[in-house]
Amino acid sequence: MARSTRSTDWGFPRWRGYGGEGGAAKVRMCDRHGCDLPGNCPAPKSPNSPERWYFCQEHAGEYNRGWDYFEGLSAEEAAAREAGERRDFSGFAETAHYGWGGSGDGSRSRDEMRALAVLEVETDASFDEIKMAWRRLAKANHPDARPDDAEAAERFRLIQAAWDVLRQAEERRAA
């Protein structure tokens, strides 16, 4: 006769160790037709709805690129909703300097992120891509190429300042 062992959970299921059920873990698959990857990124089916789609990372990115928060609203309604949300959350703006100030993985400074925006490149762009964007924009906005255009001269100045910031950052990283 097998000897019985004493349970250590005392009838409280939360005292059991994680993964102690012994059964197979349920994996939810991506809701995109034909995808066989795990769907671990929830996305709303419609605004203000508790129902969710579950996508893999690739299809969640595709879904988010097409998402329009203000869909179905007139311009006045969209402006009113945006103003209301800015008003409701304006208190959090005071603490913005405590955290990371932009998108990305934290490897770039706030000045570098602004410079990338001026050069119209992605936050994860390589230095070669940054250099190509700088050359393209500098040629298009150079005062010799567009004489008597004050806006182009100002854009050229901003492009040059952005290039200086990113070039110096790259030199610091390389050193």
Side-chain angles (χ1 to χ4, degrees):
M1 178 171 172
R3 185 174 172 187
S4 65
T5 59
R6 179 178 262 181
S7 172
T8 59
D9 67 2
W10 299 88
F12 296 101
R14 290 184 155 239
W15 288 9
R16 295 182 189 129
Y18 289 114
E21 293 84 33
K26 291 184 180 179
V27 176
R28 186 175 181 113
M29 302 308 284
C30 180
D31 285 332
R32 179 70 183 261
H33 179 71
C35 183
D36 58 352
L37 297 174
N40 51 8
C41 300
K45 287 189 176 183
S46 64
N48 303 321
S49 171
E51 296 179 4
R52 301 278 187 246
W53 296 108
Y54 288 88
F55 295 118
C56 62
Q57 273 191 318
E58 179 183 345
H59 293 124
E62 180 180 308
Y63 174 85
N64 288 334
R65 279 190 295 276
W67 179 261
D68 183 9
Y69 182 72
F70 299 107
E71 183 178 1
L73 299 178
S74 68
E76 296 84 21
E77 292 171 332
R81 180 181 284 182
E82 181 180 3
E85 289 182 4
R86 287 187 188 274
R87 181 186 61 246
D88 293 344
F89 300 111
S90 63
F92 297 110
E94 296 173 6
T95 61
H97 62 279
Y98 287 117
W100 173 244
S103 60
D105 60 358
S107 63
R108 297 190 187 267
S109 70
R110 184 174 291 170
D111 290 336
E112 290 176 74
M113 298 300 286
R114 288 183 187 132
L116 290 170
V118 168
L119 294 179
E120 301 168 1
V121 294
E122 296 294 323
T123 57
D124 59 348
S126 69
F127 189 68
D128 293 332
E129 294 170 333
I130 293 168
K131 187 185 248 183
M132 289 188 331
W134 166 68
R135 286 183 176 170
R136 176 179 49 83
L137 291 171
K139 284 181 184 179
N141 294 293
H142 196 278
D144 291 342
R146 297 178 75 176
D148 302 325
D149 189 356
E151 291 179 14
E154 179 63 21
R155 281 194 304 269
F156 182 75
R157 187 188 64 75
L158 290 173
I159 290 164
Q160 287 302 107
W163 169 249
D164 289 339
V165 166
L166 292 168
R167 182 181 47 82
Q168 290 170 3
E170 183 66 22
E171 288 173 359
R172 280 193 305 270
R173 282 189 190 95

